[in-house]
Amino acid sequence: MTHNSLKLLTSKNFRLRSALVVPFTLQILVTVGIVGYLSFKNGQEAVDSLSTQLQEQAQSRIRQRLDSYLASPSQVNQLNLESIQLGLLQPQDQTNIRQYFWRQMQVFPEISYVNIGMESGDFVGIGREDHGDLYLELMQASDNYRYKRYVLDRQGQPDKQFTSQEYRFKEEGWYKNVISSGQPRWSDVYQWSDRPEIISISSSYPILDQNRKLVGVLGVDFVLSQISQFLKTLQLGKSGRIFVIERNGLIVASSSNEKPYWVSQGKARRLNALKSRDLLVRTTAEYLKKQFSDLRKIDHDQSMDFQNQTGDRLLVRVQPWQDRLGLDWLIVTVVPESDFMGKISENTRNTALLCLIASIGAVISGLYSSRWITRPVLKLDAAAKQIAAGNLDQHVEIDNLFQIIEITNLSNSFNSMSNQLKASFTNLETQKNSFARFFPPEYLSFLNKQDVTDIELGDHISKEMAVMFSDIRSFTTLSEKMTPQENFDFVNAYLRRVSPEIRAHNGFVVKFLGDGMMAVFPNGVNDALAAGVAKSHQVQRYNEKRQAEGLVAIDVGIGIHVGHMMVGMVGEHNRIQGDAFSDNVNLTARLEGLTKFYGVSLLISEDVLVRLSHSNQYKIRFLDRAVVKGRNEPITVYEVLDAQPTESCLLKLQTQADFDQGIQAYCQGQLVRARDAFQKVLAVNAADKTAFLYLKRIDILVDQGVPEDWTGVWSFSEK
């Protein structure tokens, strides 16, 4: 061990101000401290006892109020379920249901919404506005999940409709959770989409027939802001706070006046106690997180105390609260010790003041001297820490009337260094951002590289991935009508709209192919298909803009396949780029080409379909079994109707049965029956190019004869 290392281990570090002041004031302050401590300690013990009693009383009242408030929704649901089971209330009779719910809302003013959703698609809901007026939301199975909202008159009759909105209630938590559990339960706490300041919770009861088959779900909403209003009526010291949180830290109710939500990227989100702007709530939540790491570990009443950043001691009590339907919350009370210590602290200060009078002169002199010397040093220290943290925009000004020459020189040198560092880092950041546009950062993550300098020619990943090809149809015809500059502007405008959807769904663009692109999705087909649908929707919005400007709409074909492939860096030593190789990549390019023959926006292979986690969330239509150019084996292809404009999608769904019958007859060689089915499709949807394609094939088969080994597979001679 060197002499310098040994010196560092044995030396003691002191702040400059401490080294100047401590020797003059230590003896006097020790005496004052002992006297003040004894006085303060006695008062603190009395405060702890008083605070505990107040918090226990407050939490007892809160538990009683929670039991009372949250019993009503379940009671209402139980009454409604029993009325249905006894035959007093018929779920199919929307008029009777509406009147019944209207009277119920008048009897139970604490609930904000009562509703029933049926498996048939019917829905009835009565809600309460802030000013107390009731409104009706009504949906029938034929409404395609769009409810109509009405103002109700004094007799509970619909007065006038004032809005209509899509509401797929079967996808909501209050409906789905009951189906999965088969038992009454609470929904997750949620915010109203149009009024995020209102936080609610729904009690849901399943309606089962005699065979235990689900008929519908009853729901009652309770606005949790009523709990917040009650908490504000409780007095806990001068500035104490009471709040109720879920085990994940999200605030259910609070006695503070802050909004129960925050806005991120234009969307309202529920407020976590850790992000509260109320200092008492936030610091208490941070302390609980630090103490327990997971709030689910709190299984009994806890009393504790800690000091906040300002040194004030906070007295905290946490009490779990549950109900029989699964709610599991924490009631937290926190009160600053200073709320009770005012008079005690005043007496302590008076006692200490008598001891301090004799030392005031020496202390003031020492503090003034140390401040004069250390103030510029502390400025330099703070600025140096900011630079170390990455904030390079630092400049230190020494404004003492009498300046120390050495410190002045040090500050000038520091400012010069700061300016040079800022200029250097600005230049480096500019270069980095410019380079990132040519080498997307997704490649670093994909290839498991820390930095772009680690990338080498030949680096690759070989695994099963989903691949997407897309292209603008008839781009050559479009480009002939544009100048080269207009071509560039058009292609870039298109790619700017659709490329972000690839990144948003965990994929990345391997390369741009003029007006098209090739992208891969390492995590599989779910990301690829979601990206394809989102990309198609972006094209539809782009077409709306083009048509408003008097320009021709564009058609984009997208093909998606999945299989083993190799993605990595190709080229030569001085020029590399990303690319993907495998027969599956080539097949995907062929699939994208088929979209123009079938007249569809998004086409997937059967391999994609079978790997989807939730294929039922998409509207998928079987198209064909075909042999693409360059291959011998047939491949089964499907159209994803979600990528089509709404009107086209609805028409294809409307003709789905006739289309499927036509496909079946075509594959069996029953050409007359197949022709009739496809003609029925075109009679409803003349724009269905796939049906028209099959009619052309049938004409060819009628003319040439159906082969003996016919199975419905068609071979394409074009790409």
Side-chain angles (χ1 to χ4, degrees), residues 524-535:
V525 298
N526 293 307
D527 290 338
L529 187 52
V533 173
K535 185 174 175 180

Side-chain angles (χ1 to χ4, degrees), residues 133-144:
D133 289 349
L134 301 180
Y135 61 88
L136 166 67
E137 291 178 344
L138 189 64
M139 181 195 309
Q140 296 181 348
S142 60
D143 291 332
N144 291 323

Side-chain angles (χ1 to χ4, degrees), residues 224-369:
L224 295 175
S225 55
Q226 298 179 61
I227 302 176
S228 294
Q229 294 171 2
F230 169 71
L231 297 184
K232 291 175 183 178
T233 65
L234 301 178
Q235 187 70 24
L236 193 63
K238 295 180 180 179
S239 59
R241 290 287 183 270
I242 307 171
F243 57 98
V244 180
I245 58 175
E246 296 184 87
R247 295 287 182 160
N248 57 13
L250 295 178
I251 293 178
V252 175
S254 173
S255 63
S256 69
N257 293 321
E258 70 174 330
K259 295 179 179 179
Y261 67 95
W262 61 290
V263 179
S264 173
Q265 299 178 349
K267 183 177 181 181
R269 303 177 185 277
R270 285 186 58 204
L271 182 64
N272 193 299
L274 293 171
K275 295 185 178 180
S276 173
R277 291 186 296 273
D278 188 292
L279 184 60
L280 281 178
V281 175
R282 184 178 69 253
T283 53
T284 302
E286 291 172 348
Y287 176 77
L288 293 175
K289 182 70 175 178
K290 180 180 178 182
Q291 287 293 107
F292 297 98
S293 70
D294 187 346
L295 297 181
R296 284 184 286 269
K297 295 180 181 179
I298 304 177
D299 55 2
H300 62 280
D301 295 1
Q302 301 273 356
S303 294
M304 59 204 78
D305 64 86
F306 68 98
Q307 286 188 332
N308 61 14
Q309 295 177 348
T310 62
D312 196 2
R313 183 165 172 258
L314 303 181
L315 307 175
V316 179
R317 182 173 173 81
V318 184
Q319 187 177 66
W321 179 86
Q322 298 94 14
D323 79 338
R324 64 183 181 85
L325 295 184
L327 291 182
D328 187 8
W329 296 343
L330 295 176
I331 304 171
V332 183
T333 56
V334 54
V335 59
E337 187 184 49
S338 58
D339 284 6
F340 305 99
M341 290 290 291
K343 190 64 177 177
I344 296 173
S345 298
E346 181 182 352
N347 293 334
T348 303
R349 287 193 298 269
N350 291 336
T351 303
L353 182 61
L354 297 176
C355 302
L356 286 172
I357 291 177
S359 60
I360 287 178
V363 172
I364 292 176
S365 177
L367 290 174
Y368 180 79
S369 299

Side-chain angles (χ1 to χ4, degrees), residues 512-532:
F512 292 107
L513 306 167
D515 59 305
M517 67 171 66
M518 177 177 70
V520 297
F521 297 83
N523 296 335
V525 298
N526 293 307
D527 290 338
L529 187 52

